[in-house]
Amino acid sequence: MSTWNKSGIWKAILFLEDYIPFCQSLIYLAIAVLLSNIALLVLTKSQRETLYARVSSWAPAVARGRRISSASTPPRSLTPEKKVPNNAPPPAKYKDIFPPSSRQVLLKVAESLSTSQKKKIGIQEINQEEFMKNIIPFEADYRQCGPSTYTPMEISMAEIEALGDFPDYSKLSGVPLPEAYKKFEIEKALSRPYRPIRWAYHQTMSLNKLEPDWWLELESNYVTRIAERKELFEKHGKLVLNYLPGSELACKEIMENALQFLCARYPQYFSLSQSKSKGYVFHNDILNKETVIKEMHPLHVLLGNVPEDFAVMLRNPQDGMYYLRAGLICSSLGWNVDTKLGMQLKEIHKPIPDYKAKMEFSMDKYFSHLSPCRSIQRGSWGLEIDKPLFMPPGDPHENFRSVQMPNLPISRIHLRVDWQTLRRLPLSGAIIFNFKALFTPVEEFRNEAYVPALVVKVLKEGKRTLMEYKNTWHVEHVVLPKLEEWAREQEEDGVTLKDWEVRTLEESPWFPGWEEKWHRQQGF
C-alpha cells in the first residue's frame, strides 16, 4: 500500500471517484484492473507463475482437437461432515471428457484403402449427439455391435471392419515404426543398462517421451524367457493371463501393434504373411515356429512371442474412469492379474505410498487426455536376491525380504528395473501399460560413474514410507558397505568429481559412458 501512496496512483483514483460520482461502478471496475496490473508488476516471477497456474486450473475443460466438453472442475463443496483440505485438487468429473479423436488420421489412412473399404469410412465431422448415444457399452464385444456403434475415439464399428486386420498403426497413432536394427544379433543382445535412480527421491509420475525404436527390446535370454513365461501360465493360469468382456478390440489392437513393431525392428527374425486359408500368420525364426493369428486369443499370441507384460485399461462410459480389463502379467511382485482385474486406476495403486495425495488427481487427468501420439516411458527399480520374475502373494521367495541373511554374498544381489511404457491405442481408445523386468548384478555399479553414490543416497535418506514400499532392507547390510567403498574408489581414481553433490544424473535413466560399456559387452 505504501508503494501505491508514494506513486500518487491511489490519490488520483480517489480524486476521480469524487469528481465523477455517477460513474462509481465503472471506476471500481477500473480500479480492480489497475490494481491487478500493479500487483503483477510487484510479484516475483515465481509468484506470477503460481498465480497463472491457479487461474488456468479454474478455466473450463476443453477436449483436445474436437468437441467442447461439458465437464469442468467443480468448486469445492465444504460441508460440516466432509471438508476438502486446502491443498487438495478439487474433484473432477470425467464422464464427458473424451480422448482426442482419431477421425482426422482415419481419413488419411483411408486414402490407401480399396474402393469398397472406403465406402464404409464416414465423413470427418460426426454428429456429436449420435456419437454420445452410440458409444460402445463397457462390456460389449465390438464384433457383436452394430455398424453405427462408436469407440471413445469416434471410430465406428463399420470403420473398424473396413480397416481390417493389421492396419497401419504408425499412421493411425502417429508413433512411427522403428528403424530396422540390422546389427542386432539375438545371441549377444543385451537391453540398454537402465538406471532410473533419482535424487531427490519422491513419488512422481517421472515420464519421458517414448523412443519408438526401443519400445520392445529383445535380449539373448529371449528363448528361455518365453519358455519361462509359458510355464508360469501353465502353472498359474488366470493369475498371469486373463481378460474381461469388452476388451476384445483392445487386445487385438495391442497384439497387432506389437507384431508390426517386431517385424519392422527385427526383420531378420520376424515376418507376417497372409493366405486365404489361414489368414495372417506370424513367422518367428528365433523359435522356429509359426502362429496362425485367428486360432488363438491375442494375449496368447503375445505370450508365445513377446517377452513383455501388457495391462489393458479401458474407459468406462458410466464415469469416464479407466479400469483394468485384461492383462498378461508374468513379472509382478506381490500382486497378479487376478488381484487387480476389474479395478479402477486409483484402486490398483492404493498400496503405493503418497499415490492418493500426490498422484491420483494427476494420473486420472493424464489418462483422460492422453493422445495416441504421445506415448511415454519410465522406470522403477528395486534390489532383489537372485532374479525373481513372478512372485504372487505367499510365494516362498517373499521370505528373503523378512530377514537379513548374515552370509549373503554380493553376487546374489541384483538391481531389478521394471522398464515401462504407456500408450493410447488409436482405435479402441484403450490405454496400454506394458513393462519388462530387467536384472543386473549390483557388482556392475562398480565401474558405472556416480551410480554407487546415487544409490547410497537413496537408500540412506529416501523417505521412510517409500523405502519401506521399495523393500530394500533385506540386502542393505551387504549392499551399502560395498556401494560406499565403490563410491570412494571412483572419487579417488578421478572417475567422479570430488565432493560431488548427489543428484539425478543428466544422462538419466543411464549414466556417463553407458553406451561404450553396453557396446563392449555385446562385442561391438
Side-chain angles (χ1 to χ4, degrees):
M1 193 66 172
S2 59
T3 303
W4 296 339
N5 283 332
K6 289 178 182 178
S7 64
I9 295 174
W10 189 251
K11 292 180 181 180
I13 292 172
L14 291 176
F15 173 78
L16 287 172
E17 186 176 0
D18 292 335
Y19 187 72
I20 318 175
F22 55 85
C23 293
Q24 192 174 42
S25 60
L26 293 177
I27 290 174
Y28 285 151
L29 179 60
I31 291 172
V33 172
L34 182 61
L35 294 184
S36 65
N37 287 329
I38 293 172
L40 287 175
L41 292 173
V42 173
L43 292 175
T44 65
K45 180 180 178 182
S46 61
Q47 289 172 327
R48 289 198 302 271
E49 289 175 347
T50 301
L51 179 61
Y52 291 150
R54 292 186 178 179
V55 171
S56 298
S57 68
W58 300 334
V62 178
R64 270 184 246 171
R66 54 184 196 168
R67 72 188 75 77
I68 296 178
S69 170
S70 61
S72 60
T73 305
R76 295 189 178 98
S77 175
L78 299 178
T79 65
E81 294 79 21
K82 185 176 182 180
K83 294 192 176 185
V84 180
N86 290 333
N87 61 346
K93 294 180 180 179
Y94 294 97
K95 183 177 180 180
D96 296 327
I97 299 179
F98 291 87
S101 173
S102 289
R103 289 213 63 76
Q104 200 166 18
V105 292
L106 172 68
L107 296 180
K108 292 181 180 180
V109 173
E111 293 174 0
S112 61
L113 299 179
S114 65
T115 303
S116 60
Q117 289 175 305
K118 286 181 181 179
K119 291 180 180 179
K120 297 180 181 180
I121 305 296
I123 59 176
Q124 180 169 338
E125 295 294 333
I126 62 174
N127 184 287
Q128 291 303 304
E129 186 176 349
E130 289 300 312
F131 165 72
M132 296 293 286
K133 287 181 180 178
N134 292 286
I135 295 176
I136 186 170
F138 193 42
E139 298 186 349
D141 184 337
Y142 77 104
R143 295 167 294 189
Q144 308 300 323
C145 294
S148 298
T149 306
Y150 287 91
T151 73
M153 307 301 288
E154 293 187 337
I155 307 296
S156 72
M157 296 305 110
E159 292 163 336
I160 297 289
E161 182 182 356
L163 289 171
D165 298 329
F166 291 93
D168 190 338
Y169 287 108
S170 64
K171 291 182 180 178
L172 286 168
S173 66
V175 178
L177 282 172
E179 291 187 11
Y181 195 174
K182 296 179 180 179
K183 292 184 178 180
F184 180 81
E185 297 179 37
I186 190 64
E187 297 83 7
K188 301 178 180 179
L190 296 174
S191 68
R192 293 184 296 175
Y194 297 103
R195 306 290 184 263
I197 303 156
R198 297 175 285 116
W199 186 263
Y201 180 60
H202 46 80
Q203 198 64 279
T204 65
M205 293 169 69
S206 186
L207 307 178
N208 298 293
K209 185 178 180 181
L210 174 71
E211 300 169 278
D213 285 352
W214 299 98
W215 173 33
L216 303 175
E217 290 186 67
L218 303 187
E219 301 174 84
S220 58
N221 65 355
Y222 175 83
V223 174
T224 56
R225 184 67 86 205
I226 289 290
E228 182 180 7
R229 290 165 62 86
K230 293 176 77 172
E231 288 175 7
L232 285 171
F233 173 70
E234 293 298 324
K235 181 179 180 180
H236 298 285
K238 291 184 177 181
L239 297 188
V240 299
L241 191 157
N242 202 2
Y243 42 88
L244 296 176
S247 64
E248 293 83 5
L249 177 58
C251 289
K252 173 180 181 289
E253 197 174 356
I254 187 57
M255 177 270 294
E256 292 179 345
N257 263 278
L259 298 194
Q260 281 186 350
F261 177 93
L262 292 180
C263 292
R265 183 62 167 165
Y266 312 105
Q268 63 270 52
Y269 295 115
F270 305 105
S271 61
L272 274 168
S273 65
Q274 186 180 16
S275 68
K276 290 183 178 180
S277 59
K278 294 182 179 180
Y280 278 96
V281 178
F282 181 66
H283 304 271
N284 186 328
D285 292 341
I286 300 176
L287 300 177
N288 294 314
K289 74 168 190 176
E290 296 180 350
T291 303
V292 179
I293 301 300
K294 67 181 183 181
E295 291 182 353
M296 62 180 65
H297 189 278
L299 293 186
H300 284 279
V301 176
L302 292 174
L303 176 66
N305 293 283
V306 185
E308 299 214 10
D309 291 345
F310 299 87
V312 179
M313 306 290 295
L314 287 176
R315 181 184 181 277
N316 188 336
Q318 297 300 314
D319 57 12
M321 307 304 289
Y322 286 78
Y323 295 76
L324 178 63
R325 300 297 292 177
L328 166 58
I329 311 289
C330 298
S331 311
S332 56
L333 299 180
W335 63 278
N336 54 67
V337 172
D338 193 55
T339 61
K340 302 291 186 180
L341 196 63
M343 284 188 177
Q344 190 179 323
L345 187 63
K346 65 179 181 181
E347 296 171 325
I348 293 172
H349 293 93
K350 189 175 181 180
I352 298 178
D354 295 339
Y355 181 84
K356 183 173 181 60
K358 295 186 177 181
M359 295 180 65
E360 181 181 317
F361 177 78
S362 298
M363 286 289 285
D364 287 340
K365 184 177 180 182
Y366 185 81
F367 268 54
S368 68
H369 292 92
L370 180 63
S371 169
C373 67
R374 298 188 179 277
S375 302
I376 58 94
Q377 60 188 25
R378 67 180 300 274
S380 63
W381 65 275
L383 298 176
E384 301 292 344
I385 296 176
D386 301 328
K387 300 179 182 181
L389 183 66
F390 178 70
M391 193 169 70
D395 189 274
H397 197 92
E398 283 188 331
N399 296 330
F400 283 127
R401 297 186 170 196
S402 60
V403 296
Q404 289 188 331
M405 297 168 56
N407 298 318
L408 176 65
I410 189 72
S411 60
R412 290 188 62 186
I413 303 175
H414 293 77
L415 170 74
R416 170 175 164 144
V417 170
D418 287 347
W419 191 246
Q420 309 159 355
T421 72
L422 196 71
R423 64 173 58 211
R424 166 94 64 190
L425 298 181
L427 300 181
S428 64
I431 290 182
I432 304 297
F433 170 74
N434 97 274
F435 69 97
K436 71 180 303 182
L438 303 168
F439 294 93
T440 304
V442 296
E443 291 170 305
E444 291 286 334
F445 294 172
R446 187 171 190 170
N447 61 10
E448 296 177 356
Y450 298 103
V451 174
L454 185 54
V455 178
V456 166
K457 187 75 169 180
V458 175
L459 294 181
K460 281 190 167 183
E461 301 181 28
K463 186 176 180 181
R464 184 178 59 83
T465 54
L466 293 179
M467 298 314 298
E468 288 176 354
Y469 179 77
K470 192 172 286 292
N471 210 340
T472 57
W473 171 81
H474 64 301
V475 297
E476 288 179 9
H477 65 298
V478 175
V479 168
L480 275 173
K482 280 295 183 182
L483 291 175
E484 290 171 333
E485 175 189 333
W486 297 338
R488 287 193 299 271
E489 278 184 6
Q490 290 184 357
E491 187 173 306
E492 291 168 359
D493 294 343
V495 175
T496 59
L497 295 174
K498 188 177 181 180
D499 299 324
W500 174 66
E501 183 180 349
V502 178
R503 61 186 181 276
T504 302
L505 298 173
E506 292 182 5
E507 294 84 358
S508 181
W510 299 285
F511 52 89
W514 72 270
E515 285 183 289
E516 181 184 351
K517 177 179 180 178
W518 179 58
H519 288 155
R520 184 175 64 251
Q521 289 177 326
Q522 296 177 92
F524 68 91

